[in-house]
Amino acid sequence: MLLILDVLTTAGILFVVSIGLLAVFGVLKIINFAHGAWLTIGAYCAVVAAQLGLNPWAALPLAFVIGAALGGLAELFIIRPLYRRPLDAILATWGLGIVIGQLITLGFGRDVQMTTNLFSGTVEIFGADYSAYRLVALGAAVVIGVAFALTIEGTRLGLSARAVIMNETLARGLGIDTARVRLFTFMIGAGLAALAGVLLTPLTSVDPNMGVSWLIGAFMLVMVADASFLALGVACLVFGAAQVLISTFVSPILGSIAIAVLAALVLRISPKGFSRA
């Protein structure tokens, strides 16, 4: 049971980290390599909240708002002029991530920062203690997933976003403001990334480069999902299980690279990844 919980909570954490990147990739058709930087921004929002003596949960809405606002500025002034040059747009997001990392270093230094734990303690399950926060993180993943699905399926923005994903030229011909859809999608993606950064703070150290390692896994998961929300959930569950099992029974070092290796194998066999199903 504890192993199953490890698999489920790991899958939930991977989903939270990847969903913002998937949203941007699906609509804008570019991989946002600044995604790791937005994770880091969210984590440092938790640091600032702790320094100000705020309730640690206040960092969640604070991170989403700040991430979305900065994401909107980045889309307007950096990414939007490069849509017709997708390779340049990808390189621009990579450079943006580096700049953000350096600005964070300038403001907070390179030292590991401390935050207040969002939820502490353990829960007894079948006679063994299990991290209460990992269960909270799993619940947060479910809430974010449901909210994202409802946004995509039940709002005008979601309808417009799906139209842009399927055929942007046709969507524009039908009167959809695709520039506005791109802007709001990037803002939501950046906000979700910053939100994920706060949720990661009890699980990892907070430093200016913390987002880089998470970016690699998120990138591979999104490539396997191929802009499909359901496929991302499946990929997080399958690869999260592989990571936990390999780390537990073989080696934590091999477990840390399991997602990248398995995703590469899946894409080699099926270029569309799990979305083909």
Side-chain angles (χ1 to χ4, degrees), residues 211-251:
V212 176
S213 59
W214 291 96
L215 171 64
I216 297 171
F219 171 76
M220 300 306 292
L221 288 166
V222 169
M223 289 295 95
V224 170
D226 192 35
S228 169
F229 172 76
L230 293 178
L232 178 65
V234 173
C236 290
L237 186 60
V238 172
F239 292 157
Q243 184 181 62
V244 169
L245 293 174
I246 293 172
S247 297
T248 302
F249 296 110
V250 183
S251 165

mmCIF file of all heavy atoms in Angstrom, residues 211-251:
data_model
loop_
_atom_site.group_PDB
_atom_site.id
_atom_site.type_symbol
_atom_site.label_atom_id
_atom_site.label_comp_id
_atom_site.label_asym_id
_atom_site.label_seq_id
_atom_site.Cartn_x
_atom_site.Cartn_y
_atom_site.Cartn_z
ATOM 1 N N GLY A 211 14.612 24.751 -10.636
ATOM 2 C CA GLY A 211 13.661 24.411 -11.689
ATOM 3 C C GLY A 211 14.249 23.618 -12.833
ATOM 4 O O GLY A 211 13.509 22.970 -13.595
ATOM 5 N N VAL A 212 15.576 23.609 -12.972
ATOM 6 C CA VAL A 212 16.208 22.971 -14.130
ATOM 7 C C VAL A 212 15.954 21.471 -14.142
ATOM 8 O O VAL A 212 15.570 20.893 -15.167
ATOM 9 C CB VAL A 212 17.718 23.252 -14.149
ATOM 10 C CG1 VAL A 212 18.387 22.499 -15.291
ATOM 11 C CG2 VAL A 212 17.975 24.752 -14.270
ATOM 12 N N SER A 213 16.157 20.819 -12.993
ATOM 13 C CA SER A 213 15.975 19.367 -12.952
ATOM 14 C C SER A 213 14.522 18.970 -13.197
ATOM 15 O O SER A 213 14.249 17.945 -13.845
ATOM 16 C CB SER A 213 16.446 18.827 -11.602
ATOM 17 O OG SER A 213 15.722 19.424 -10.537
ATOM 18 N N TRP A 214 13.584 19.769 -12.706
ATOM 19 C CA TRP A 214 12.174 19.470 -12.930
ATOM 20 C C TRP A 214 11.763 19.737 -14.374
ATOM 21 O O TRP A 214 10.865 19.091 -14.905
ATOM 22 C CB TRP A 214 11.304 20.289 -11.978
ATOM 23 C CG TRP A 214 11.442 19.875 -10.558
ATOM 24 C CD1 TRP A 214 12.243 20.436 -9.608
ATOM 25 C CD2 TRP A 214 10.768 18.786 -9.908
ATOM 26 N NE1 TRP A 214 12.112 19.777 -8.408
ATOM 27 C CE2 TRP A 214 11.218 18.767 -8.561
ATOM 28 C CE3 TRP A 214 9.842 17.838 -10.328
ATOM 29 C CZ2 TRP A 214 10.759 17.829 -7.636
ATOM 30 C CZ3 TRP A 214 9.381 16.901 -9.409
ATOM 31 C CH2 TRP A 214 9.837 16.900 -8.083
ATOM 32 N N LEU A 215 12.426 20.691 -15.013
ATOM 33 C CA LEU A 215 12.103 21.013 -16.408
ATOM 34 C C LEU A 215 12.342 19.821 -17.325
ATOM 35 O O LEU A 215 11.548 19.561 -18.230
ATOM 36 C CB LEU A 215 12.946 22.211 -16.868
ATOM 37 C CG LEU A 215 12.887 22.547 -18.363
ATOM 38 C CD1 LEU A 215 11.472 22.973 -18.762
ATOM 39 C CD2 LEU A 215 13.891 23.649 -18.696
ATOM 40 N N ILE A 216 13.404 19.076 -17.099
ATOM 41 C CA ILE A 216 13.742 17.955 -17.974
ATOM 42 C C ILE A 216 12.631 16.905 -17.947
ATOM 43 O O ILE A 216 12.144 16.447 -18.993
ATOM 44 C CB ILE A 216 15.087 17.337 -17.554
ATOM 45 C CG1 ILE A 216 16.211 18.355 -17.723
ATOM 46 C CG2 ILE A 216 15.376 16.079 -18.377
ATOM 47 C CD1 ILE A 216 17.532 17.922 -17.133
ATOM 48 N N GLY A 217 12.204 16.534 -16.740
ATOM 49 C CA GLY A 217 11.130 15.551 -16.633
ATOM 50 C C GLY A 217 9.833 16.053 -17.235
ATOM 51 O O GLY A 217 9.127 15.317 -17.936
ATOM 52 N N ALA A 218 9.490 17.324 -16.961
ATOM 53 C CA ALA A 218 8.261 17.895 -17.506
ATOM 54 C C ALA A 218 8.303 17.921 -19.031
ATOM 55 O O ALA A 218 7.306 17.623 -19.706
ATOM 56 C CB ALA A 218 8.054 19.298 -16.951
ATOM 57 N N PHE A 219 9.445 18.279 -19.584
ATOM 58 C CA PHE A 219 9.610 18.323 -21.040
ATOM 59 C C PHE A 219 9.357 16.948 -21.657
ATOM 60 O O PHE A 219 8.620 16.821 -22.645
ATOM 61 C CB PHE A 219 11.015 18.817 -21.372
ATOM 62 C CG PHE A 219 11.382 18.696 -22.820
ATOM 63 C CD1 PHE A 219 10.892 19.582 -23.761
ATOM 64 C CD2 PHE A 219 12.231 17.685 -23.253
ATOM 65 C CE1 PHE A 219 11.225 19.465 -25.098
ATOM 66 C CE2 PHE A 219 12.572 17.555 -24.580
ATOM 67 C CZ PHE A 219 12.069 18.450 -25.514
ATOM 68 N N MET A 220 9.937 15.902 -21.084
ATOM 69 C CA MET A 220 9.764 14.555 -21.629
ATOM 70 C C MET A 220 8.313 14.092 -21.503
ATOM 71 O O MET A 220 7.769 13.457 -22.411
ATOM 72 C CB MET A 220 10.699 13.571 -20.918
ATOM 73 C CG MET A 220 12.182 13.901 -21.048
ATOM 74 S SD MET A 220 12.730 14.109 -22.769
ATOM 75 C CE MET A 220 12.558 12.445 -23.401
ATOM 76 N N LEU A 221 7.672 14.415 -20.399
ATOM 77 C CA LEU A 221 6.276 14.022 -20.213
ATOM 78 C C LEU A 221 5.368 14.715 -21.228
ATOM 79 O O LEU A 221 4.450 14.091 -21.787
ATOM 80 C CB LEU A 221 5.822 14.365 -18.795
ATOM 81 C CG LEU A 221 6.395 13.477 -17.678
ATOM 82 C CD1 LEU A 221 6.153 14.112 -16.315
ATOM 83 C CD2 LEU A 221 5.772 12.086 -17.738
ATOM 84 N N VAL A 222 5.603 15.985 -21.490
ATOM 85 C CA VAL A 222 4.787 16.725 -22.451
ATOM 86 C C VAL A 222 5.020 16.205 -23.858
ATOM 87 O O VAL A 222 4.080 16.099 -24.658
ATOM 88 C CB VAL A 222 5.086 18.236 -22.359
ATOM 89 C CG1 VAL A 222 4.467 18.995 -23.526
ATOM 90 C CG2 VAL A 222 4.566 18.789 -21.041
ATOM 91 N N MET A 223 6.249 15.840 -24.193
ATOM 92 C CA MET A 223 6.529 15.275 -25.509
ATOM 93 C C MET A 223 5.775 13.957 -25.712
ATOM 94 O O MET A 223 5.222 13.699 -26.772
ATOM 95 C CB MET A 223 8.031 15.043 -25.671
ATOM 96 C CG MET A 223 8.868 16.298 -25.821
ATOM 97 S SD MET A 223 8.513 17.228 -27.352
ATOM 98 C CE MET A 223 7.329 18.432 -26.740
ATOM 99 N N VAL A 224 5.741 13.136 -24.674
ATOM 100 C CA VAL A 224 5.024 11.865 -24.765
ATOM 101 C C VAL A 224 3.514 12.100 -24.834
ATOM 102 O O VAL A 224 2.794 11.398 -25.538
ATOM 103 C CB VAL A 224 5.380 10.966 -23.563
ATOM 104 C CG1 VAL A 224 4.469 9.748 -23.502
ATOM 105 C CG2 VAL A 224 6.839 10.519 -23.656
ATOM 106 N N ALA A 225 3.029 13.110 -24.115
ATOM 107 C CA ALA A 225 1.590 13.400 -24.111
ATOM 108 C C ALA A 225 1.120 14.044 -25.402
ATOM 109 O O ALA A 225 -0.057 13.943 -25.759
ATOM 110 C CB ALA A 225 1.248 14.308 -22.924
ATOM 111 N N ASP A 226 2.016 14.764 -26.096
ATOM 112 C CA ASP A 226 1.686 15.392 -27.381
ATOM 113 C C ASP A 226 0.447 16.281 -27.277
ATOM 114 O O ASP A 226 -0.504 16.147 -28.048
ATOM 115 C CB ASP A 226 1.479 14.320 -28.459
ATOM 116 C CG ASP A 226 1.430 14.918 -29.866
ATOM 117 O OD1 ASP A 226 2.160 15.900 -30.116
ATOM 118 O OD2 ASP A 226 0.643 14.415 -30.689
ATOM 119 N N ALA A 227 0.458 17.180 -26.293
ATOM 120 C CA ALA A 227 -0.591 18.190 -26.107
ATOM 121 C C ALA A 227 -1.935 17.609 -25.671
ATOM 122 O O ALA A 227 -2.938 18.296 -25.699
ATOM 123 C CB ALA A 227 -0.795 19.028 -27.367
ATOM 124 N N SER A 228 -1.972 16.343 -25.245
ATOM 125 C CA SER A 228 -3.205 15.723 -24.777
ATOM 126 C C SER A 228 -3.238 15.712 -23.255
ATOM 127 O O SER A 228 -2.326 15.177 -22.611
ATOM 128 C CB SER A 228 -3.326 14.297 -25.318
ATOM 129 O OG SER A 228 -4.381 13.609 -24.667
ATOM 130 N N PHE A 229 -4.297 16.280 -22.686
ATOM 131 C CA PHE A 229 -4.452 16.347 -21.238
ATOM 132 C C PHE A 229 -4.532 14.947 -20.626
ATOM 133 O O PHE A 229 -3.854 14.634 -19.637
ATOM 134 C CB PHE A 229 -5.714 17.154 -20.917
ATOM 135 C CG PHE A 229 -6.114 17.147 -19.472
ATOM 136 C CD1 PHE A 229 -5.432 17.915 -18.547
ATOM 137 C CD2 PHE A 229 -7.173 16.375 -19.032
ATOM 138 C CE1 PHE A 229 -5.809 17.918 -17.205
ATOM 139 C CE2 PHE A 229 -7.558 16.373 -17.699
ATOM 140 C CZ PHE A 229 -6.866 17.143 -16.790
ATOM 141 N N LEU A 230 -5.339 14.082 -21.206
ATOM 142 C CA LEU A 230 -5.488 12.724 -20.690
ATOM 143 C C LEU A 230 -4.194 11.929 -20.844
ATOM 144 O O LEU A 230 -3.818 11.163 -19.951
ATOM 145 C CB LEU A 230 -6.644 12.011 -21.400
ATOM 146 C CG LEU A 230 -8.043 12.553 -21.119
ATOM 147 C CD1 LEU A 230 -9.088 11.791 -21.922
ATOM 148 C CD2 LEU A 230 -8.371 12.459 -19.626
ATOM 149 N N ALA A 231 -3.520 12.107 -21.989
ATOM 150 C CA ALA A 231 -2.263 11.391 -22.204
ATOM 151 C C ALA A 231 -1.209 11.824 -21.195
ATOM 152 O O ALA A 231 -0.387 11.010 -20.763
ATOM 153 C CB ALA A 231 -1.761 11.626 -23.632
ATOM 154 N N LEU A 232 -1.241 13.103 -20.785
ATOM 155 C CA LEU A 232 -0.293 13.561 -19.773
ATOM 156 C C LEU A 232 -0.546 12.846 -18.445
ATOM 157 O O LEU A 232 0.401 12.422 -17.770
ATOM 158 C CB LEU A 232 -0.415 15.074 -19.574
ATOM 159 C CG LEU A 232 0.507 15.653 -18.492
ATOM 160 C CD1 LEU A 232 1.967 15.499 -18.900
ATOM 161 C CD2 LEU A 232 0.180 17.120 -18.230
ATOM 162 N N GLY A 233 -1.810 12.699 -18.082
ATOM 163 C CA GLY A 233 -2.129 11.980 -16.857
ATOM 164 C C GLY A 233 -1.641 10.544 -16.887
ATOM 165 O O GLY A 233 -1.071 10.040 -15.910
ATOM 166 N N VAL A 234 -1.844 9.876 -18.024
ATOM 167 C CA VAL A 234 -1.375 8.489 -18.178
ATOM 168 C C VAL A 234 0.144 8.429 -18.101
ATOM 169 O O VAL A 234 0.728 7.569 -17.434
ATOM 170 C CB VAL A 234 -1.874 7.895 -19.506
ATOM 171 C CG1 VAL A 234 -1.247 6.527 -19.748
ATOM 172 C CG2 VAL A 234 -3.399 7.790 -19.499
ATOM 173 N N ALA A 235 0.813 9.371 -18.792
ATOM 174 C CA ALA A 235 2.276 9.386 -18.802
ATOM 175 C C ALA A 235 2.827 9.612 -17.392
ATOM 176 O O ALA A 235 3.790 8.953 -16.985
ATOM 177 C CB ALA A 235 2.775 10.476 -19.747
ATOM 178 N N CYS A 236 2.225 10.522 -16.639
ATOM 179 C CA CYS A 236 2.685 10.777 -15.271
ATOM 180 C C CYS A 236 2.521 9.535 -14.401
ATOM 181 O O CYS A 236 3.400 9.222 -13.587
ATOM 182 C CB CYS A 236 1.905 11.943 -14.664
ATOM 183 S SG CYS A 236 2.297 13.552 -15.380
ATOM 184 N N LEU A 237 1.411 8.820 -14.581
ATOM 185 C CA LEU A 237 1.172 7.621 -13.776
ATOM 186 C C LEU A 237 2.152 6.514 -14.150
ATOM 187 O O LEU A 237 2.768 5.887 -13.274
ATOM 188 C CB LEU A 237 -0.268 7.147 -13.976
ATOM 189 C CG LEU A 237 -0.727 5.980 -13.105
ATOM 190 C CD1 LEU A 237 -0.616 6.344 -11.624
ATOM 191 C CD2 LEU A 237 -2.158 5.585 -13.447
ATOM 192 N N VAL A 238 2.336 6.271 -15.442
ATOM 193 C CA VAL A 238 3.216 5.186 -15.894
ATOM 194 C C VAL A 238 4.674 5.485 -15.547
ATOM 195 O O VAL A 238 5.379 4.650 -14.966
ATOM 196 C CB VAL A 238 3.054 4.972 -17.410
ATOM 197 C CG1 VAL A 238 4.101 3.976 -17.925
ATOM 198 C CG2 VAL A 238 1.654 4.458 -17.729
ATOM 199 N N PHE A 239 5.123 6.682 -15.896
ATOM 200 C CA PHE A 239 6.529 7.011 -15.659
ATOM 201 C C PHE A 239 6.809 7.257 -14.175
ATOM 202 O O PHE A 239 7.916 6.997 -13.693
ATOM 203 C CB PHE A 239 6.945 8.223 -16.483
ATOM 204 C CG PHE A 239 6.962 7.960 -17.963
ATOM 205 C CD1 PHE A 239 6.842 8.981 -18.872
ATOM 206 C CD2 PHE A 239 7.098 6.678 -18.451
ATOM 207 C CE1 PHE A 239 6.860 8.749 -20.241
ATOM 208 C CE2 PHE A 239 7.118 6.416 -19.813
ATOM 209 C CZ PHE A 239 6.997 7.454 -20.709
ATOM 210 N N GLY A 240 5.808 7.794 -13.464
ATOM 211 C CA GLY A 240 5.971 7.950 -12.021
ATOM 212 C C GLY A 240 6.124 6.594 -11.343
ATOM 213 O O GLY A 240 6.954 6.425 -10.437
ATOM 214 N N ALA A 241 5.336 5.610 -11.785
ATOM 215 C CA ALA A 241 5.456 4.254 -11.245
ATOM 216 C C ALA A 241 6.830 3.676 -11.545
ATOM 217 O O ALA A 241 7.472 3.062 -10.681
ATOM 218 C CB ALA A 241 4.363 3.365 -11.828
ATOM 219 N N ALA A 242 7.299 3.873 -12.774
ATOM 220 C CA ALA A 242 8.618 3.366 -13.150
ATOM 221 C C ALA A 242 9.708 4.007 -12.294
ATOM 222 O O ALA A 242 10.628 3.321 -11.818
ATOM 223 C CB ALA A 242 8.878 3.630 -14.629
ATOM 224 N N GLN A 243 9.608 5.302 -12.076
ATOM 225 C CA GLN A 243 10.612 6.005 -11.273
ATOM 226 C C GLN A 243 10.643 5.475 -9.845
ATOM 227 O O GLN A 243 11.716 5.214 -9.287
ATOM 228 C CB GLN A 243 10.317 7.501 -11.277
ATOM 229 C CG GLN A 243 11.364 8.343 -10.546
ATOM 230 C CD GLN A 243 11.013 9.813 -10.555
ATOM 231 O OE1 GLN A 243 9.998 10.219 -10.018
ATOM 232 N NE2 GLN A 243 11.857 10.616 -11.178
ATOM 233 N N VAL A 244 9.469 5.288 -9.254
ATOM 234 C CA VAL A 244 9.395 4.805 -7.871
ATOM 235 C C VAL A 244 9.915 3.379 -7.769
ATOM 236 O O VAL A 244 10.721 3.054 -6.877
ATOM 237 C CB VAL A 244 7.945 4.890 -7.354
ATOM 238 C CG1 VAL A 244 7.808 4.149 -6.019
ATOM 239 C CG2 VAL A 244 7.520 6.337 -7.187
ATOM 240 N N LEU A 245 9.496 2.516 -8.676
ATOM 241 C CA LEU A 245 9.900 1.106 -8.615
ATOM 242 C C LEU A 245 11.401 0.947 -8.836
ATOM 243 O O LEU A 245 12.066 0.174 -8.133
ATOM 244 C CB LEU A 245 9.118 0.297 -9.651
ATOM 245 C CG LEU A 245 7.609 0.176 -9.394
ATOM 246 C CD1 LEU A 245 6.917 -0.519 -10.555
ATOM 247 C CD2 LEU A 245 7.353 -0.591 -8.092
ATOM 248 N N ILE A 246 11.943 1.665 -9.814
ATOM 249 C CA ILE A 246 13.383 1.566 -10.075
ATOM 250 C C ILE A 246 14.185 2.140 -8.912
ATOM 251 O O ILE A 246 15.196 1.566 -8.496
ATOM 252 C CB ILE A 246 13.735 2.280 -11.394
ATOM 253 C CG1 ILE A 246 13.116 1.531 -12.581
ATOM 254 C CG2 ILE A 246 15.249 2.380 -11.583
ATOM 255 C CD1 ILE A 246 13.244 2.247 -13.908
ATOM 256 N N SER A 247 13.722 3.255 -8.365
ATOM 257 C CA SER A 247 14.428 3.856 -7.230
ATOM 258 C C SER A 247 14.384 2.948 -6.002
ATOM 259 O O SER A 247 15.353 2.868 -5.238
ATOM 260 C CB SER A 247 13.810 5.216 -6.879
ATOM 261 O OG SER A 247 13.951 6.128 -7.941
ATOM 262 N N THR A 248 13.272 2.261 -5.811
ATOM 263 C CA THR A 248 13.099 1.425 -4.622
ATOM 264 C C THR A 248 13.857 0.112 -4.728
ATOM 265 O O THR A 248 14.530 -0.315 -3.780
ATOM 266 C CB THR A 248 11.605 1.137 -4.386
ATOM 267 O OG1 THR A 248 10.904 2.367 -4.240
ATOM 268 C CG2 THR A 248 11.401 0.294 -3.126
ATOM 269 N N PHE A 249 13.770 -0.541 -5.876
ATOM 270 C CA PHE A 249 14.294 -1.902 -5.992
ATOM 271 C C PHE A 249 15.614 -2.006 -6.745
ATOM 272 O O PHE A 249 16.271 -3.049 -6.696
ATOM 273 C CB PHE A 249 13.260 -2.794 -6.690
ATOM 274 C CG PHE A 249 11.982 -2.942 -5.910
ATOM 275 C CD1 PHE A 249 10.811 -2.355 -6.360
ATOM 276 C CD2 PHE A 249 11.949 -3.646 -4.718
ATOM 277 C CE1 PHE A 249 9.625 -2.482 -5.643
ATOM 278 C CE2 PHE A 249 10.773 -3.780 -3.991
ATOM 279 C CZ PHE A 249 9.612 -3.196 -4.453
ATOM 280 N N VAL A 250 16.016 -0.956 -7.452
ATOM 281 C CA VAL A 250 17.263 -1.032 -8.217
ATOM 282 C C VAL A 250 18.258 0.005 -7.700
ATOM 283 O O VAL A 250 19.206 -0.322 -6.996
ATOM 284 C CB VAL A 250 17.010 -0.835 -9.729
ATOM 285 C CG1 VAL A 250 18.327 -0.990 -10.506
ATOM 286 C CG2 VAL A 250 15.990 -1.854 -10.239
ATOM 287 N N SER A 251 18.028 1.279 -8.042
ATOM 288 C CA SER A 251 18.956 2.330 -7.638
ATOM 289 C C SER A 251 18.278 3.690 -7.749
ATOM 290 O O SER A 251 17.637 3.975 -8.768
ATOM 291 C CB SER A 251 20.207 2.304 -8.525
ATOM 292 O OG SER A 251 20.946 3.489 -8.396
#
